[in-house]
Amino acid sequence: MVGGMVFDGTGAVPRRVTVVIDNDRITAVGRDVAVPADARVIDVHGMAVTPGLYDLHTHWGLEGTPADVPSIAHAYLVSGVTTVNDFNEETEAFAPLRAWLAQMPAPHVNFAARISTPGGHGADWSDQDTTRWASTAASGKAAIDSVVAYHPDLIKIFSDGWRYGRMPDDTSMNEQTLAAAVVEAHADHLKVMTHTVTVERGLLAARAKVDSLAHSMQDRVLTSAEIATIRASGMGDVATLAVYDPDKWRRVPGHKAAPNTRLFDNALKNVRKLYRAGVPIGVGTDAGMPATPHGESTLHELELLVRAGLTPAQALLAATRISATLEGQQADRGTIAPGMRADITVFNGRPWKHIADIHHVAMTMVDGRPLFGLGAPAQASGTGWPTAVPAARLIDDFERADGRSSLNTLRRDTMDWGQDRTEEVSGTMPSETGKGKILFIAARMADKKDAYAGVAVPLSPGSVLPVDVTAYKGVTLAIRGAPCPTRLTVTGTVGATWSTPVNITRGWQTINVPFTALHVVDPKTGRLWTGRDVTEVEIGQGCPAEHKSWLQADNLAFYTRGGNR
């Protein structure tokens, strides 16, 4: 790479130098560096060269913009982002997502294992395979131990139940639980970030030796003594100003909610105070949340850091070397120097002088390969979907003792969402005939009109990759249960869901549910049934509020013509 003005992330003054790359590593940086005779030369004369940008807080979920994995990956590459933390996934999804991302143009993605409290933020929509629950020191340690086998890249703990001052609070984690979880995570060489948005909980996180906050404290302005406490702890802050920016709602057609400027002003002031006191400030956005699109929000976060009081050069350092340090990756990336990973972003302009120039990304390089812009192969947004594999006939006969299906996937509880959730217990038990095992679901419905309890069986690990069921006509299973409204649901990629009621009695019966009976659940994400992108099959009940329900099932499978399996 020749001719560019290099902002190397070390704090040095930008200078015109040559950068030599061999495979995925930088081998030389300097004015008089000899370019190998067989090198591919990328001419970036007049352009700005920086380390690849970080976004330490994103959610690759269905509610964001864009919503599917290949399109999200492309959005970050277009924005010059080369390393991202994803806080959205269940641990079962880590391995298949890593394998899938390796096959497409994408940034590096660090996956965070999630821990919260019963009734806490992050636990109000998922089961414990996605967000472990902990409320004592022992359960905090156990929660970390339970996720280590999945090789998370870091730990995300939802320790603060304060919901931004605009909605009812969730539960919060006590200091003993948080501290025990942090000690256990550090013993496994894992960094810990916490959902923390209040000063009181920020100070608690500092005492618990948390590595960095995943938000800015915003309920009030920090005092000098509180800032000194945080600085002395070594804890960093990833402010995610982009998700709180009240101006973002003006870009949403038809949105009429009054923006909360007081909390945002507190966040800006606290970022400025923390930075000036020497607290490391990283870059994260909470992208994937409403009106916080992937990729472009990372660039906007740098603009907001400048608004908070950082210079453009300081904001770039926050997005590169400092974020790499908070992630524990400073020996691998975050600076442009010999031996470092060749993750590089090229801009038209001088973003260390004019922060608006970050919107002029000319090239994004990951592991020494241009993936966007100059020198990159032509590619379209959203490319990279894998070919669906044919579905096996048997989904689950519930015979395994380890909670996994006949497909070696982990079953999930799928109770309703919210602070008041249906209490559900599921598992397997011996059948009354003594021949094998059956699934059981027992639940006490929450006091709400949409109370629900169910179990989903992924057709691929973590429900990540699509499965083709077009060789079959429908789903069959043996079932019985309480006489409550019961439904079978089939989920596809990008949140597409199809469902149909099924009639059950207290006595066993085998039912066949043809795919033609399925109807779209949510028109926003729904599409016509094809059977070529299915990810899981679910059975569950929506009984009256506070009703105790039960359901048993066996031999869940696909059937062919005439109901024969």
Side-chain angles (χ1 to χ4, degrees):
M1 187 176 293
V2 299
M5 289 292 290
V6 175
F7 177 96
D8 63 14
T10 67
V13 175
R15 63 199 192 281
R16 192 180 305 279
V17 293
T18 296
V19 180
V20 179
I21 297 165
D22 185 11
N23 292 318
D24 64 344
R25 295 285 160 177
I26 297 169
T27 59
V29 180
R31 285 191 174 91
D32 302 319
V33 169
V35 178
D38 60 347
R40 174 190 177 190
V41 177
I42 300 176
D43 190 340
V44 292
H45 274 87
M47 299 181 186
V49 179
T50 76
L53 307 182
Y54 269 77
D55 193 321
L56 294 174
H57 189 154
T58 75
H59 294 266
W60 291 37
L62 301 175
E63 302 300 320
T65 304
D68 64 273
V69 170
S71 297
I72 295 171
H74 183 74
Y76 282 110
L77 295 177
V78 168
S79 300
V81 180
T82 59
T83 300
V84 174
N85 284 352
D86 181 10
F87 289 163
N88 204 72
E89 311 304 333
E90 62 176 289
T91 50
E92 281 279 309
F94 291 176
L97 279 171
R98 285 173 176 138
W100 185 12
L101 286 163
Q103 302 304 312
M104 73 174 81
H108 303 287
V109 181
N110 300 316
F111 292 107
R114 299 158 48 100
I115 297 170
S116 186
T117 50
H121 188 44
D124 50 4
W125 64 270
S126 63
D127 74 335
Q128 289 208 62
D129 294 316
T130 301
T131 307
R132 265 67 174 184
W133 302 350
S135 54
T136 64
S139 60
K141 177 181 181 299
I144 299 296
D145 293 342
S146 70
V147 302
V148 168
Y150 291 97
H151 306 292
D153 297 295
L154 71 156
I155 303 295
K156 165 74 177 291
I157 299 181
F158 297 85
S159 62
D160 189 344
W162 194 71
R163 298 296 300 274
Y164 321 111
R166 296 189 292 273
M167 59 187 76
D169 291 351
D170 289 335
T171 61
S172 294
M173 185 174 289
N174 61 60
E175 186 171 340
Q176 292 79 8
T177 303
L178 180 59
V182 170
V183 168
E184 193 70 6
H186 287 170
D188 289 308
H189 309 289
L190 293 167
K191 295 285 189 180
V192 177
M193 296 182 72
T194 58
H195 169 94
T196 304
V197 289
T198 61
V199 171
E200 177 186 357
R201 307 299 298 185
L203 295 171
L204 184 151
R207 294 193 299 269
K209 305 302 181 184
V210 163
D211 295 291
S212 58
L213 305 184
H215 292 291
S216 177
M217 295 162 283
Q218 54 190 269
D219 57 325
R220 63 175 174 83
V221 177
L222 287 155
T223 67
S224 297
E226 291 164 342
I227 292 171
T229 297
I230 292 172
R231 174 68 183 89
S233 74
M235 183 176 71
D237 186 25
V238 181
T240 65
L241 297 171
V243 78
Y244 299 119
D245 182 6
D247 290 337
K248 73 177 186 177
W249 296 111
R250 297 190 177 99
R251 299 187 289 271
V252 179
H255 189 83
K256 298 179 180 179
N260 192 327
T261 58
R262 180 184 65 83
L263 296 177
F264 187 65
D265 288 345
N266 288 343
L268 290 171
K269 291 174 182 176
N270 284 336
V271 169
R272 179 165 58 251
K273 285 174 171 284
L274 290 168
Y275 185 83
R276 290 178 177 175
V279 174
I281 302 295
V283 166
T285 58
D286 216 354
M289 295 297 103
T292 314
H294 293 286
E296 61 187 83
S297 293
T298 313
L299 303 180
H300 186 48
E301 183 75 14
L302 271 71
E303 295 176 309
L304 292 172
L305 288 177
V306 171
R307 179 175 167 184
L310 279 67
T311 67
Q314 290 167 343
L316 272 177
L317 286 175
T320 55
R321 176 173 55 83
I322 295 175
S323 287
T325 301
L326 291 176
E327 192 70 14
Q329 295 177 329
Q330 68 274 17
D332 183 68
R333 65 195 85 162
T335 55
I336 296 178
M340 300 297 282
R341 187 177 297 274
D343 291 352
I344 294 173
T345 305
V346 178
F347 300 91
N348 285 307
R350 296 291 183 266
W352 52 83
K353 291 183 177 180
H354 309 289
I355 197 62
D357 287 349
I358 57 171
H359 293 285
H360 306 308
V361 177
M363 186 189 77
T364 305
M365 175 181 285
V366 179
D367 284 341
R369 295 181 299 130
L371 297 183
F372 169 77
L374 295 171
Q379 61 194 41
S381 173
T383 58
W385 276 98
T387 302
V389 299
R393 180 194 63 78
L394 179 63
I395 302 171
D396 203 349
D397 59 8
F398 308 105
E399 294 302 317
R400 291 180 59 155
D402 58 3
R404 304 185 74 84
S405 72
S406 300
L407 301 171
N408 195 30
T409 61
L410 187 64
R411 293 188 292 270
R412 294 187 295 104
D413 292 339
T414 56
M415 57 279 209
D416 46 53
W417 293 14
Q419 291 177 309
D420 182 18
R421 304 186 68 182
T422 290
E423 299 172 7
E424 175 180 347
V425 176
S426 71
T428 60
M429 60 183 291
S431 69
E432 50 267 63
T433 65
K435 297 180 179 179
K437 297 178 182 178
I438 59 174
L439 171 73
F440 73 86
I441 305 172
R444 184 189 70 81
M445 296 292 167
D447 189 6
K448 57 175 67 173
K449 64 179 181 180
D450 58 350
Y452 176 81
V455 166
V457 183
L459 301 182
S460 66
S463 302
V464 171
L465 301 179
V467 169
D468 188 333
V469 301
T470 55
Y472 305 98
K473 297 299 181 181
V475 177
T476 184
L477 73 160
I479 191 170
R480 70 171 186 166
C484 291
T486 304
R487 61 182 182 264
L488 183 134
T489 302
V490 179
T491 301
T493 57
V494 201
T497 308
W498 305 270
S499 186
T500 189
V502 296
N503 294 318
I504 67 170
T505 65
R506 294 181 183 276
W508 282 103
Q509 58 180 320
T510 296
I511 61 172
N512 296 325
V513 180
F515 294 141
T516 55
L518 298 173
H519 61 271
V520 174
V521 173
D522 185 354
K524 293 181 181 178
T525 57
R527 54 185 180 270
L528 293 177
W529 170 268
T530 67
R532 296 187 178 91
D533 64 341
V534 178
T535 58
E536 63 186 30
V537 176
E538 175 181 341
I539 189 74
Q541 293 184 305
C543 302
E546 299 189 339
H547 186 87
K548 292 183 178 179
S549 71
W550 63 276
L551 182 150
Q552 296 176 345
D554 200 5
N555 297 324
L556 180 65
F558 296 111
Y559 69 85
T560 54
R561 196 177 303 276
N564 296 320
R565 296 188 286 156

